[in-house]
Amino acid sequence: MEELKAKVEESHGRINAVRQEIGKVLVGQTKLVDGLLMGLFTRGHILIEGVPGLAKTSAVKAVADAVDAAFKRIQFTPDLLPADLVGTEIYRPQSADFVTRKGPLFRNIILADEINRAPSKVQSALLEAMQERQVTIGDQTFALPDPFLVLATQNPIEQEGTYPLPEAQVDRFMFKLLVDYPSKSEEKEIMRRVGFENPEEVRPVITPADLSATFDLIHSIYMDEKLRDYIVDLVCATRQPGEVDGDLAAWIRFGASPRATIFLSLAARAWAFLQGRTYVTPQDVKQIAPDVLRHRIIASYEAEAEDITTDTIIERLFERVEVP
């Protein structure tokens, strides 16, 4: 444990350097930055939801710029084709053969801007890349670079020209982060930086090798067997809500998949790591669970009629499931 503690303390120098670089262009939004860092260090895809103008794209670009890795922003539109993402085979008449031209997905970090504006064929192509970290072009399969991370944004208030994401794809996002408006002091600082000064440039301060080492380190964070049972109890309670609370049974139509259990255990260790600890506490699980579960629980029609959100359902779960 002492050796692990020393490694965690050493790695926090890199984390602080990344935070400092992101802070050059992003004011506040601490929870968003923490979520992006956890996704970065655990290779977990992230869905970011917020109204326009809250610096979702700027935050993702700042994180990508702080990593010495290949980055590509893809603007999702209704006329986007799968070949625009994965690439295609091009016929060469001179040699009478086909050559494969790889698409923009062959990068380490992908910003899928306004992901819900693309049709289902595009989402299906992205689905293989997110889950298998590979793409198929013609009859050939190509592995994507390591690390490969999709950071997607979507606007919750504009429905015209958008397509609901398939549940299978939504489930592959490790986190769903909600971005809120800044405070008055933060907004004043934003105005000062953007309106009266030249923005600073974000420098790369961490490499893909550092990300891999941090990923291995997070896997070494200690989690007690009772906490593992607690995570399983939480997730299973979303599938059999009637066993813990009568209201929950009426509010939940479908519960979370086993992928939620995997991601929640990994996210809790990542959160403990960000706090500089070598072990996970029940509070770590509670802190990160809403971001892992909110897009995996499908509320019932009764809950929607009563304006009960999935975050409210998760709060009730915490009240009903016994903490170790």
Side-chain angles (χ1 to χ4, degrees):
M1 291 296 288
E2 289 299 323
E3 181 182 353
L4 179 60
K5 186 176 180 180
K7 289 181 179 179
V8 169
E9 290 175 353
E10 179 186 356
S11 66
H12 264 248
R14 294 193 293 269
I15 295 174
N16 292 332
V18 174
R19 287 186 186 277
Q20 186 175 355
E21 291 301 314
I22 295 173
K24 290 180 179 179
V25 297
L26 194 68
V27 178
Q29 302 290 7
T30 305
K31 192 171 182 180
L32 173 61
V33 173
D34 286 340
L36 290 171
L37 289 177
M38 285 188 287
L40 191 66
F41 294 141
T42 59
R43 302 172 184 172
H45 309 299
I46 300 176
L47 180 62
I48 307 169
E49 185 176 283
V51 298
L54 297 185
K56 301 185 295 296
T57 303
S58 298
V60 172
K61 191 173 186 307
V63 170
D65 289 343
V67 181
D68 188 14
F71 167 72
K72 184 67 176 179
R73 172 183 175 177
I74 306 173
Q75 188 67 45
F76 279 55
T77 57
D79 60 348
L80 199 69
L81 298 173
D84 296 328
L85 291 184
V86 303
T88 187
E89 292 182 326
I90 299 175
Y91 180 71
R92 296 187 298 187
Q94 298 87 351
S95 53
D97 63 354
F98 288 89
V99 61
T100 300
R101 177 170 293 177
K102 294 180 179 179
L105 278 189
F106 287 85
R107 305 291 193 280
N108 296 112
I109 301 176
I110 301 295
L111 167 55
D113 215 2
E114 295 189 282
I115 188 173
N116 57 334
R117 291 197 175 277
S120 56
K121 284 186 177 181
V122 175
Q123 306 298 351
S124 297
L126 189 60
L127 189 64
E128 180 188 7
M130 292 174 64
Q131 179 61 26
E132 308 297 335
R133 284 175 164 79
Q134 65 179 33
V135 298
T136 302
I137 305 174
D139 58 356
Q140 297 185 75
T141 300
F142 299 90
L144 291 168
D146 184 30
F148 174 76
L149 187 64
V150 175
L151 306 176
T153 68
Q154 70 177 14
N155 176 0
I157 61 174
E158 191 175 12
Q159 303 302 322
E160 186 176 351
T162 63
Y163 301 83
L165 296 181
E167 291 300 330
Q169 183 179 7
V170 172
D171 195 44
R172 280 163 174 78
F173 285 102
M174 183 175 186
F175 298 123
K176 181 180 180 181
L177 305 178
L178 304 181
V179 186
D180 204 355
Y181 289 106
S183 64
K184 284 187 177 181
S185 59
E186 290 171 345
E187 191 150 355
K188 186 176 180 180
E189 176 64 16
I190 293 169
M191 180 179 64
R192 182 186 68 81
R193 291 192 189 184
V194 178
F196 296 91
E197 296 181 357
N198 293 323
E200 295 187 64
E201 185 178 348
V202 178
R203 300 176 298 105
V205 293
I206 194 170
T207 66
D210 295 328
L211 295 181
S212 296
T214 306
F215 179 77
D216 294 337
L217 188 58
I218 288 173
H219 269 274
S220 302
I221 299 294
Y222 175 73
M223 177 180 285
D224 191 83
E225 194 68 31
K226 291 181 180 179
L227 274 180
R228 300 184 188 192
D229 292 338
Y230 179 52
I231 289 174
V232 173
D233 289 343
L234 278 172
V235 176
C236 287
T238 67
R239 301 175 203 151
Q240 293 94 31
E243 296 181 3
V244 295
D245 186 277
D247 287 336
L248 285 173
W251 291 347
I252 298 177
R253 187 152 56 103
F254 291 104
S257 71
R259 195 177 280 116
T261 308
I262 298 169
F263 283 157
L264 187 51
S265 67
L266 183 57
R269 283 174 283 170
W271 179 255
F273 167 77
L274 285 185
Q275 310 314 305
R277 281 187 275 104
T278 58
Y279 57 90
V280 180
T281 68
Q283 190 57 39
D284 295 330
V285 178
K286 288 187 174 183
Q287 178 71 33
I288 206 63
D291 294 335
V292 176
L293 294 177
R294 67 165 53 99
H295 54 300
R296 294 186 163 87
I297 297 174
I298 301 178
S300 67
Y301 299 116
E302 291 88 342
E304 292 176 356
E306 297 176 26
D307 289 330
I308 295 171
T309 65
T310 52
D311 281 23
T312 303
I313 293 173
I314 294 167
E315 287 178 11
R316 180 66 70 93
L317 279 172
F318 286 143
E319 294 173 1
R320 296 295 185 263
V321 178
E322 185 178 355
V323 180

